[in-house]
């Protein structure tokens, strides 16, 4: 069983920054890709960003490209999402995700999420 615990959410004004953290436990963290998803009120969950096992490859949704940066520290079993130039439309519950295998395809484990609210 894998546990993912997010932290770092909160209320921020438009243009501000937040850094989300995800602490992982329960399996060999450094062997699997990790990702971030979000769900805005009344909308379906959407992909935000992903990172491969080594951190050498990163992927972003077009809506956050250039503003968000994903990173990981395998020694600490941590994944981060640095969010800059936040917009009101970034308001959502952000969830950390652990992929099932070596490729960034199917998510197997989800965190409970952390609320990010961006005021205009």
């Amino acid at each position: 069983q894998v546990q993912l615990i997010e932290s770092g959410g909160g209320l921020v004004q438009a243009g501000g920054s937040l850094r989300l953290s995800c602490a992982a436990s329960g399996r060999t963290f450094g062997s699997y890709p990790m990702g971030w998803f979000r769900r805005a009120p009344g909308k379906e969950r959407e992909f935000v960003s992903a990172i491969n096992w080594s951190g050498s490859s990163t992927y972003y949704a077009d809506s956050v490209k250039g503003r968000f940066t994903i990173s990981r520290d395998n020694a600490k079993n941590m994944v981060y999402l640095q969010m800059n130039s936040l917009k009101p439309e970034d308001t959502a519950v952000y969830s950390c995700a652990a992929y099932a295998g070596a490729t960034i395809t199917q998510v197997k484990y989800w965190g409970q999420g952390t609320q990010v609210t961006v005021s205009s």
Side-chain angles (χ1 to χ4, degrees), residues 16-99:
S17 298
L18 282 174
R19 187 194 195 204
L20 304 184
S21 299
C22 173
S25 63
R27 71 174 182 182
T28 307
F29 174 78
S31 299
Y32 297 90
M34 298 289 294
W36 288 95
F37 289 72
R38 68 185 182 187
R39 177 173 285 167
K43 296 186 178 181
E44 294 189 354
R45 182 164 52 199
E46 64 174 357
F47 169 81
V48 175
S49 182
I51 187 167
N52 72 339
W53 69 273
S54 67
S56 62
S57 295
T58 56
Y59 309 86
Y60 298 95
D62 288 343
S63 58
V64 307
K65 203 171 292 183
R67 299 188 298 121
F68 290 11
T69 302
I70 190 171
S71 61
R72 66 190 296 163
D73 185 337
N74 288 343
K76 296 181 179 179
N77 285 9
M78 297 290 295
V79 181
Y80 307 99
L81 186 68
Q82 178 67 43
M83 306 185 296
N84 299 330
S85 302
L86 283 162
K87 305 175 181 179
E89 51 263 43
D90 294 319
T91 295
V93 175
Y94 285 71
S95 297
C96 180
Y99 287 88

